[in-house]
Amino acid sequence: MAAAGDGPWLDDAAGRLVRPFTVSNGRTRPTVALDLMSQVMATGTTPLGYLGPEHAQALDLCRAPLPVAELAAHLRLPVAVTKVLLSDLVDCGALTTKPPAAFHHDPTDRALLEAVLDGLRRQL
């Protein structure tokens, strides 16, 4: 079993030991509008004050631009919780966001959606 402060609190047999919404202190709405495909990237600014281990893990993963959906998969957290964590990091200046690149195809194209789903499944 992982000790407190050693990244996400996971147990090999039981899974996550802390409920996902506990990570966001029960908050369900981010302060920043984020799309599933919005890109987030670390700014290099060190956040002031205490942030939880999931914040630190998200910040570490964002050294290169990542879409919100992929980051949620890496963190193994629901997208709603991930968006709250990311908005905390944007609010303190540690992350920057940019909207998803303009689509060259219809964003509801079945082939595109299946490719995204396949990518997410590979991450889990």
Side-chain angles (χ1 to χ4, degrees), residues 29 42 74 77 103 105 114 118 122:
R29 297 183 193 262
H74 284 297
L77 289 171
F103 285 100
H105 303 288
E114 287 176 356
D118 288 342
R122 279 189 296 252

Side-chain angles (χ1 to χ4, degrees), residues 45-124:
T45 301
T46 303
L48 298 174
Y50 173 77
L51 293 176
E54 287 81 4
H55 286 93
Q57 186 180 10
L59 196 53
D60 186 51
L61 289 167
C62 290
R63 283 185 254 152
L66 276 178
V68 171
E70 186 174 339
L71 194 55
H74 284 297
L75 295 173
R76 296 182 179 193
L77 289 171
V79 173
V81 174
T82 301
K83 286 181 178 183
V84 171
L85 295 178
L86 295 176
S87 71
D88 291 345
L89 292 168
V90 169
D91 290 344
C92 71
L95 282 184
T96 187
T97 68
K98 70 177 188 175
F103 285 100
H104 297 290
H105 303 288
D106 178 10
T108 59
D109 177 52
R110 184 176 177 93
L112 174 63
L113 294 174
E114 287 176 356
V116 170
L117 184 59
D118 288 342
L120 289 172
R121 283 184 180 145
R122 279 189 296 252
Q123 294 297 320
L124 297 175

Side-chain angles (χ1 to χ4, degrees), residues 7-21 23 54 57 72 74-78 81:
W9 297 342
L10 298 174
D11 179 277
D12 292 335
R16 183 174 285 279
L17 299 175
V18 175
R19 297 262 185 221
F21 286 96
V23 172
E54 287 81 4
Q57 186 180 10
H74 284 297
L75 295 173
R76 296 182 179 193
L77 289 171
V81 174

